[in-house]
Amino acid sequence: MRYLGLGFIAGVTWLYVLAQIPMRPWLLFVIAIASMIAAIAAWRYGGRKAARPAIGFTTASVIVVAGAIYMAKTVMNQAEVSATGRPFCIQVASPSDYSPARTLLDLSPMTMRAATASGHSMTHHAILVVQEPSGEQLLHWSYRRRQFIPGVVNERTPGYGPAIVCEPEKDFAQHLPNLIAGAVDSVFVRFSDREAYRIPLIYRPRWSGGPGRYLALQMVPPEFTPSASTSERQSDEVFIQWNSGWLTALLQAPPSAAIRQQDSAYGLIRQIFAGGHTRYASDTGADTTLIDCYGGNNSAPLCQHRFLNGGRHIRFTHRPEDVPHWRELQARLVARLASFSAAAAEPTPPSSRP
């Protein structure tokens, strides 16, 4: 009996560890089922010593996998109950924020878990987005109550709510495949009632809502075309934050080194510091810009370019020889972002909480 229990514990532990690895839900379940088949083989052909642990391992695998599928169907059923015939969609917690549910297996406890930090949940397990005539209602999933509860974290604070990454559909449940999602070439991300984007996956977008909301894209200046690199290089990243105070504080902060020379260049104030550091700055409202260029001792010279646009703090890098064309760079980048604009919802009142 002891070996049977040890096998059961080993099965539960293995599936728990497996669930911590970020991977596609169907692949997670394939590995879990393959482990179960291996245990059955050990039970059948491994002799007496391997039989009882293998039986325990197989039993744990069957219970966990069957329970995960059952819970996924429960989540979907509860979503339909909460939507009461209205269009809806579900977005589930991902390592950095939320991602749209693309298969039924995305809704299983093995994959649908809130992101945590220092023991505290940073996101909900999942958010149900229900479309109403006056806008939308947001609800979050509770495993304890086994239902969707009205309201989400920071919903009532403007600019602090979650990013919406799914689009409500009338027959969302019927369109959701059980195992493998269909191919998509873009993602939808909405940060507010007035600001939404549909971004081609070739730009490898990353995002997060909440108080530290951001959007990161892999694109290369001066034309801001998709990066050809297969890795997310910081030098190719355009990083957008909705926090203009950060750039304002940088402009107002006293320099960390003595200024060797100060003059004007390209319509900006230029400051030259020791160590090959040159700063170009302008703090004139619409043209608020800060460009820090560094000489290359062991690396190629590079400039970090920051500017404000419509309340967005936008950051990217480019070559020092591109500095004279800073206005054109900014205009070109803003136009590229505008090309991703998607129809945003009309302003809606916050969802009422119980």
Side-chain angles (χ1 to χ4, degrees):
M1 193 69 182
R2 181 180 62 179
Y3 292 105
L4 190 69
L6 290 174
F8 187 90
I9 293 172
V12 172
T13 303
W14 159 242
L15 293 174
Y16 175 79
V17 171
L18 182 63
Q20 308 309 306
I21 304 173
M23 66 177 70
R24 297 182 184 277
W26 67 266
L27 182 58
L28 178 65
F29 276 81
V30 165
I31 295 175
I33 293 172
S35 301
M36 183 171 60
I37 293 173
I40 292 173
W43 171 15
R44 177 68 179 82
Y45 302 107
R48 285 187 175 182
K49 290 185 178 181
R52 288 188 179 180
I55 291 172
F57 191 98
T58 303
T59 303
S61 300
V62 170
I63 291 174
V64 172
V65 171
I69 294 173
Y70 170 78
M71 184 57 71
K73 291 184 176 294
T74 299
V75 172
M76 181 55 71
N77 290 338
Q78 288 298 315
E80 291 184 297
V81 168
S82 298
T84 60
R86 295 167 292 177
F88 74 94
C89 64
I90 303 172
Q91 58 187 48
V92 298
S94 64
S96 62
D97 194 60
Y98 294 96
S99 298
R102 300 198 184 278
T103 69
L104 183 66
L105 294 184
D106 284 329
L107 307 179
S108 81
M110 293 182 71
T111 53
M112 194 180 77
R113 301 183 311 278
T116 59
S118 303
H120 299 283
S121 295
M122 307 303 292
T123 61
H124 297 292
H125 301 296
I127 291 178
L128 173 65
V129 182
V130 180
Q131 189 66 50
E132 297 181 333
S134 60
E136 66 188 16
Q137 182 185 18
L138 303 182
L139 305 91
H140 69 274
W141 175 253
S142 169
Y143 280 114
R144 183 171 61 85
R145 298 189 188 182
R146 294 180 64 186
Q147 64 182 11
F148 283 96
I149 310 299
V152 296
V153 173
N154 295 325
E155 182 183 18
R156 294 182 179 275
T157 306
Y160 278 58
I164 304 300
V165 294
C166 68
E167 298 178 88
E169 298 180 49
K170 183 67 175 178
D171 299 316
F172 179 79
Q174 285 70 32
H175 294 163
L176 200 67
N178 290 327
L179 188 61
I180 300 178
V184 295
D185 58 5
S186 64
V187 294
F188 173 81
V189 186
R190 179 160 65 81
F191 292 100
S192 70
D193 293 326
R194 297 293 187 184
E195 193 163 18
Y197 301 93
R198 195 176 305 280
I199 306 167
L201 291 179
I202 194 172
Y203 289 96
R204 297 196 292 281
R206 294 184 296 108
W207 60 85
S208 179
R213 60 181 176 153
Y214 71 83
L215 175 63
L217 306 169
Q218 291 289 306
M219 52 175 63
V220 182
E223 299 299 330
F224 297 100
T225 53
S227 172
S229 173
T230 56
S231 63
E232 293 184 348
R233 300 191 307 182
Q234 189 173 0
S235 59
D236 290 344
E237 184 175 77
V238 172
F239 196 79
I240 306 163
Q241 292 174 293
W242 281 258
N243 181 5
S244 59
W246 175 250
L247 178 53
T248 303
L250 283 177
L251 286 166
Q252 295 175 348
S256 56
I259 300 173
R260 290 187 170 183
Q261 177 183 337
Q262 178 167 315
D263 55 17
S264 61
Y266 321 119
L268 298 168
I269 297 173
R270 178 171 61 183
Q271 296 175 326
I272 299 176
F273 302 89
H277 175 198
T278 302
R279 167 170 288 188
Y280 303 85
S282 172
D283 188 5
T284 57
D287 278 340
T288 299
T289 298
L290 178 64
I291 306 172
D292 283 301
C293 297
Y294 300 91
N297 293 324
N298 298 317
S299 59
L302 205 62
C303 297
Q304 185 175 81
H305 190 142
R306 303 172 184 264
F307 70 100
L308 297 185
N309 173 261
R312 301 175 297 185
H313 169 201
I314 303 176
R315 184 182 76 213
F316 65 100
T317 59
H318 56 75
R319 303 168 303 172
E321 51 264 40
D322 291 328
V323 173
H325 312 292
W326 64 275
R327 285 193 177 92
E328 291 88 339
L329 287 173
Q330 293 180 183
R332 199 172 291 137
L333 177 52
V334 169
R336 179 72 69 184
L337 295 175
S339 72
F340 301 147
S341 180
E346 291 298 318
T348 61
S351 303
S352 56
R353 300 195 182 199

